[in-house]
Amino acid sequence: MDLRWALAPVVGGGAEVVPVRADGSAAGEIRRERDLVAAVASRPEVSRWIWRSTAEVYPRLLAAGVRVERCYDMECAEVLLLGHEGRLGEPRSVAAAWARLTGAPVPPDPPLRPADPNEQSSLFEVEAEPVPLPTLLAVYADQLTRHSRSQYPDRLRLLTASESSGMLIAAEMDRAGLPWSAEVHRALLTELLGERFGGTGEPRRLTELADQVSAAFGRRVRPDLPADVLKAFKQAGYLLRSTRRWELETIDHPAVAPLIEYKKLYRIYTANGWTWLHDWVHDGRFRPGFVPGGTVSGRWVTNGGGGLQIPKVIRRAVVADPGWRLVVADASQLEPRVLAAISRDPGLMAVSGDAADLYKAVSDTAFSGDRAAAKLAVLGAIYGQTSGDGLQNLAALRKRFPRAVQYVDDAARAGEEGRLVRTWLGRTCPPSGSQLDAQMVEDQIVEEPQVDERQARARGRFTRNFVVQGSAADWALLMMAALRQSIAGLEAELVFFQHDEVIVHCPAGEAEQVATAIQAAGDLAGELTFGRTPTRFPFSTAIVESYSDAK
């Protein structure tokens, strides 16, 4: 039985609570509780809490050792509903939703507080005025109605529930933290960069490489300043457009090798060096502040610390506690499998079944065993590679898997024409001409003849990938929600997630059970998201003591 209660924090640390009927109306008298945590902890029978924002409430509960099974995050729901209505980018707060409902002026969303790596709770705190519980219930009832009016109500309801679950998971992961050995990290930095000098000087290895670069040019050059490097190469007779590695490797000059090495180490020094370690790792844990649905496609981002860009070499510092293990699981070739499921292409679904290597299965079917060509063709269809060998490979793919290619072609055409495009569960791309649309189009623009045509093609490239990447994000949410439920009775903790990878920290004796639970969660998510199809979503899983040993 889905027993729902609504909760609204009030000034002073208390809360208003009330049971809620299926239509969103109050099923009893509103009760004023002096303590928000006690209000939740004293009602373990509640199966779903309805509140304005998980980020506002749940960290306080977790700090007191109180976990909830399910919630309905009204701000998450409002974002999804606004997107479905072609209004993505409008204020998402309950106050804004109430204003739209009553015809009052719509207030802007309150600003998010910047992340403070030294204060875990600040990763989630939002400055906002309390919302009276009757107002919250009125907005909730309206959201239920808007869900029922959507194109596929059951799908959008499922997406809203999984997005709300994602908010719970994010808070729990930041509470647990990713195990991190400061001792290993410091040793690694000394190994790579050499000892540190006093003051603001760079470590020894960077200083040596900078001297080698300058010696190669015959004058002092700052390798950390691209303009200075480009000027030095120009004076040496090499006209470069950038200092990217692939461009540097096209020329024969003694500065190239030390410059490439400097750039690689400098990135580590600035992004994950001693200062980063001091700011972001505390009590053996890294807490980046996960933000579910931080991009328009539904992918997660982090609130700081570069949590989703941990360099491979730095992963050596991600070490399980003594007697514990890291279960690291990667969904294999996720986006092509998602394309098979959403396009309902019978051929692609068939090869996405039991095959561990989808690209090999595609190559055996349509490319005479040429796996590289098959991979280029599949990724070209998803990302819009339609020139050179990509065009020829795409033609072969279209012949063998016509419905799959047509699906992304239709999404691209809809984007070019300015129409809304949705993921399988109903997450919607920004409307044409909106501020969010302008940003995503700018990211896709390449050199093309006319401005209008260039913008249309850029939007088409985005929407072509959006239907696949966004549907993969939908699947990942449900996978995480299923995994969270399946390990609820264990000591195991979800500690990391990015796109198609998940890490669980658990006692060594639970590791095999967790690995099995991850695959089961992926299978269940596939069925819940896309229905019963031949497509399978296998994981590549490793049980390790250090993250660096997983790949």
Side-chain angles (χ1 to χ4, degrees):
M1 180 179 178
D2 190 1
L3 182 61
R4 305 182 182 196
W5 278 63
L7 178 148
V10 297
V11 175
E16 293 180 329
V17 296
V18 69
V20 180
R21 298 189 181 93
D23 63 358
S25 62
E29 294 288 332
I30 293 177
R31 307 175 193 183
R32 183 78 171 237
E33 303 279 353
R34 291 184 178 182
D35 183 78
L36 182 150
V37 173
V40 175
S42 64
R43 296 176 173 87
E45 73 279 4
V46 175
S47 56
R48 191 181 306 272
W49 285 95
I50 301 160
W51 49 46
R52 174 173 66 180
S53 166
T54 305
E56 175 187 40
V57 175
Y58 201 39
R60 294 167 61 181
L61 298 177
L62 289 174
V66 177
R67 296 167 70 95
V68 302
E69 182 179 359
R70 295 183 180 88
C71 76
Y72 178 96
D73 189 307
M74 295 180 63
E75 290 193 351
C76 284
E78 190 66 18
V79 170
L80 295 172
L81 288 165
L82 286 171
H84 199 277
E85 295 157 359
R87 300 157 64 188
L88 191 63
E90 292 187 21
R92 62 184 290 175
S93 69
V94 170
W98 172 249
R100 285 188 287 264
L101 185 60
T102 59
V106 178
D109 286 337
L112 290 172
R113 287 182 58 182
D116 182 347
N118 297 308
E119 296 183 24
Q120 179 186 338
S121 61
S122 71
L123 297 175
F124 288 98
E125 288 180 5
V126 179
E127 298 291 346
E129 293 296 323
V131 174
L133 195 50
T135 299
L136 186 145
L137 287 177
V139 172
Y140 174 61
D142 180 62
Q143 288 183 343
L144 295 180
T145 300
R146 290 158 66 195
H147 274 93
S148 67
R149 294 173 180 169
S150 62
Q151 184 177 13
Y152 298 104
D154 289 343
R155 294 186 192 178
L156 191 58
R157 291 189 191 104
L158 180 61
L159 178 61
T160 301
S162 61
E163 191 91 331
S164 296
S165 180
M167 294 299 295
L168 295 175
I169 294 168
E172 291 168 359
M173 287 200 301
D174 275 307
R175 183 73 189 174
L178 182 64
W180 201 284
S181 171
E183 181 181 0
V184 171
H185 193 145
R186 280 191 288 267
L188 179 61
L189 292 176
T190 301
E191 173 189 328
L192 294 172
L193 302 171
E195 59 273 15
R196 302 168 70 186
F197 295 137
T200 59
E202 292 180 342
R204 175 181 52 78
R205 183 57 182 154
L206 288 180
T207 301
E208 292 173 351
L209 290 168
D211 289 343
Q212 291 176 29
V213 171
S214 295
F217 285 117
R219 69 173 182 84
R220 176 56 59 185
V221 174
R222 290 277 303 275
D224 58 324
L225 298 179
D228 200 19
V229 173
L230 292 176
K231 180 180 178 181
F233 274 119
K234 183 177 181 181
Q235 291 173 343
Y238 299 94
L239 189 61
L240 301 178
R241 293 177 298 178
S242 73
T243 59
R244 293 187 178 93
R245 177 171 183 162
W246 66 266
E247 192 166 0
L248 290 173
E249 289 178 338
T250 64
I251 63 175
D252 183 14
H253 190 278
V256 169
L259 180 59
I260 289 175
E261 181 69 9
Y262 179 95
K263 286 166 57 68
K264 180 181 73 174
L265 294 179
Y266 186 76
R267 279 193 293 270
I268 293 173
Y269 172 60
T270 55
N272 297 100
W274 290 276
T275 299
W276 181 93
L277 180 61
H278 176 270
D279 288 344
W280 286 99
V281 177
H282 302 281
D283 300 322
R285 295 294 187 268
F286 169 42
R287 297 179 173 90
F290 290 96
V291 182
T295 68
V296 294
S297 66
R299 281 189 165 187
W300 289 29
V301 298
T302 59
N303 218 358
L308 302 186
Q309 293 86 37
I310 303 174
K312 287 186 178 180
V313 66
I314 298 297
R315 293 176 184 177
R316 285 160 57 183
V318 182
V319 181
D321 291 344
W324 287 51
R325 297 291 184 270
L326 300 173
V327 183
V328 183
D330 253 328
S332 303
Q333 302 155 336
L334 176 59
E335 290 189 357
R337 294 176 189 277
V338 167
L339 175 58
I342 61 180
S343 68
R344 295 303 202 257
D345 186 293
L348 192 56
M349 284 193 294
V351 299
S352 300
D354 295 330
D357 187 344
L358 181 144
Y359 299 128
K360 180 65 168 62
V362 170
S363 70
D364 291 342
T365 304
F367 292 88
S368 302
D370 188 341
R371 184 184 184 280
K375 182 176 180 178
L376 285 175
V378 173
L379 296 181
I382 294 173
Y383 291 98
Q385 175 62 38
T386 57
S387 60
D389 291 340
L391 185 61
Q392 181 178 352
N393 292 334
L394 185 60
L397 192 74
R398 189 190 307 276
K399 182 177 181 181
R400 181 62 182 85
F401 308 110
R403 291 181 64 176
V405 178
Q406 189 63 48
Y407 192 93
V408 287
D409 283 349
D410 288 346
R413 187 175 303 108
E416 290 180 9
E417 294 172 356
R419 291 183 278 134
L420 294 176
V421 174
R422 309 189 200 283
T423 67
W424 186 258
L425 291 185
R427 192 186 305 273
T428 309
C429 69
S432 180
S434 69
Q435 182 177 359
L436 288 173
D437 175 69
Q439 291 172 356
M440 74 181 192
V441 167
E442 184 66 28
D443 291 341
Q444 296 287 321
I445 284 180
V446 295
E447 293 299 324
E448 291 177 6
Q450 300 295 326
V451 173
D452 290 344
E453 180 183 355
R454 181 179 62 181
Q455 292 177 340
R457 289 185 181 275
R459 180 175 171 81
R461 279 191 294 273
F462 177 85
T463 53
R464 171 187 291 275
N465 180 240
F466 175 86
V467 294
V468 180
Q469 186 183 98
S471 296
D474 295 350
W475 170 88
L477 275 172
L478 284 162
M479 180 274 293
M480 292 277 282
L483 177 59
R484 175 180 182 258
Q485 289 187 341
S486 66
I487 65 173
L490 305 177
E491 291 186 70
E493 295 178 316
L494 279 161
V495 293
F496 188 75
F497 168 66
Q498 63 170 350
H499 312 328
D500 55 4
E501 181 182 56
V502 63
I503 300 179
V504 177
H505 187 222
C506 66
E510 293 181 355
E512 293 292 346
Q513 185 178 352
V514 168
T516 300
I518 291 173
Q519 184 58 66
D523 294 339
L524 178 59
E527 184 173 333
L528 290 174
T529 308
F530 308 114
R532 292 181 179 272
T533 75
T535 305
R536 294 292 175 265
F537 298 90
F539 281 88
S540 174
T541 305
I543 299 171
V544 295
E545 294 185 47
S546 172
Y547 187 15
S548 62
D549 295 333
K551 297 181 181 180

